[in-house]
Amino acid sequence: MTKVSLNTSSQNLSLQKNKYWAVIPAAGAGKRMASKIPKQYLPLAGKTVLEQTLNVFIQHPDISGIVLAVTEGDPYWQEIAANYNQENMTPVFIAPGGQERCHSVLNALKELTVHASDNDWALVHDAARPCLTGSDIDQLITKLSDSPAGGLLGLPMADTVKRCDKEQNVIATVERSELWRALTPQMFPLKLLKDALTLAIENKALVTDEASAIELQGLKPKIVEGQPGNIKITHPGDLQLAALFFANAQD
Ligand code: CTP
Ligand code: MG
């Protein structure tokens, strides 16, 4: 596979001055949630899930702007779009969603190249993770800004892990000490990520996170330990968990 170039150490110094942008894929259908409307538009603590997610980045002082990937003609986004891009607000640019998450992210990265520099940082974050905190964004920025291959938030595996066959018979207990769950945001230099994702898709690797595309280039993204509350709303019960998170945050 063709390799994408990594910044040289002299360019690394300038990375610190580069801007930080959020890239939010929000064009999924939410099949596992099985709700009437896509899960990113379900109500959560007085707003939609997507609005709560956008707010975290809008309120963060280091984020220069946001690119949101939404399904073309998405009527739910149209209903709330007027709340954004008002005077003195962090800009929200729109890109078309794609077939899979990786296509939506790549579309958003292409839109971001219009507004950002090659070495600016893209923080890719699932719309379905509204419980992200500003301090997790702080951690990523502090710990990764000197790491040219970028990285991601993760959580060390807490439970004992089993490998099973299709009938759910346990085949093995997997050593968990080196296992982490990959969360978002995942933060990479814009051009590095765009090129890596383009190559992954060209090679028919429909990667489910950005780090996978970077790993396919032989690079080693770093994991920064995140907060366990940063859940991805996937199944119906997750929305109740997220609601609890917001109720506690307001106490
Ligand atoms: N996503 C996207 N474009 C797609 C698929 C997913 O932008 N073609 C987004 C989702 O909107 C979500 C994030 O990627 O914010 C993470 O994906 P996931 O949790 O899998 O959401 P869905 O694909 O919508 O859910 P499901 O897999 O259950 O259908
Ligand atoms: Mg999905």
Side-chain angles (χ1 to χ4, degrees):
M1 189 191 282
T2 321
K3 300 281 173 183
V4 296
S5 63
L6 192 57
N7 298 292
T8 63
S9 53
S10 61
Q11 283 172 309
N12 290 347
L13 293 172
S14 66
L15 281 179
Q16 291 168 26
K17 288 184 230 109
N18 292 321
K19 292 183 175 174
Y20 301 90
W21 303 82
V23 166
I24 303 181
K31 290 194 199 104
R32 287 168 287 181
M33 193 74 185
S35 48
K36 279 203 185 117
I37 63 172
K39 62 186 181 183
Q40 57 273 34
Y41 298 109
L42 290 171
L44 173 64
K47 293 187 165 64
T48 63
V49 167
L50 175 59
E51 287 173 293
Q52 297 289 9
T53 304
L54 283 168
N55 263 358
V56 181
F57 290 97
I58 285 173
Q59 284 169 9
H60 197 285
D62 294 338
I63 300 296
S64 295
I66 300 168
V67 184
L68 184 65
V70 290
T71 307
E72 279 178 292
D74 179 342
Y76 305 103
W77 169 246
Q78 296 309 326
E79 271 179 38
I80 55 175
N83 298 336
Y84 299 95
N85 292 313
Q86 292 172 4
E87 221 177 319
N88 297 324
M89 263 177 93
T90 308
V92 179
F93 306 106
I94 301 298
Q99 186 71 33
E100 301 292 338
R101 182 185 178 282
C102 57
H103 301 112
S104 298
V105 171
L106 183 57
N107 289 348
L109 292 173
K110 286 179 183 162
E111 171 64 25
L112 183 54
T113 58
V114 175
H115 312 282
S117 305
D118 283 356
N119 287 332
D120 281 357
W121 292 96
L123 282 76
V124 183
H125 182 69
D126 294 324
R129 291 185 191 270
C131 305
L132 173 71
T133 60
S135 66
D136 261 352
I137 298 176
D138 293 340
Q139 286 293 311
L140 270 184
I141 289 179
T142 306
K143 299 214 166 118
L144 297 180
S145 291
D146 288 329
S147 298
L152 63 150
L153 285 181
L155 277 176
M157 197 69 83
D159 303 301
T160 302
V161 181
K162 305 289 186 191
R163 179 172 291 117
C164 295
D165 64 16
K166 291 203 174 74
E167 284 77 44
Q168 294 186 21
N169 303 305
V170 174
I171 296 168
T173 301
V174 182
E175 171 60 44
R176 69 155 186 246
S177 63
E178 294 182 345
L179 296 182
W180 290 72
R181 290 165 49 206
L183 313 179
T184 71
Q186 304 204 354
M187 172 175 146
F188 299 97
L190 171 58
K191 187 171 188 322
L192 178 75
L193 180 58
K194 185 166 78 63
D195 290 352
L197 215 43
T198 302
L199 287 169
I201 291 170
E202 274 173 17
N203 286 290
K204 311 230 176 322
L206 298 180
V207 289
T208 53
D209 75 346
E210 291 59 56
S212 300
I214 300 291
E215 291 157 48
L216 284 172
Q217 295 299 312
L219 302 174
K220 292 183 178 162
K222 280 191 186 306
I223 288 214
V224 174
E225 186 165 346
Q227 291 172 39
N230 182 13
I231 58 166
K232 180 158 73 73
I233 295 176
T234 307
H235 301 107
D238 298 332
L239 196 59
Q240 284 149 1
L241 273 180
L244 276 176
F245 173 92
F246 276 88
N248 284 339
Q250 274 150 21
D251 283 349

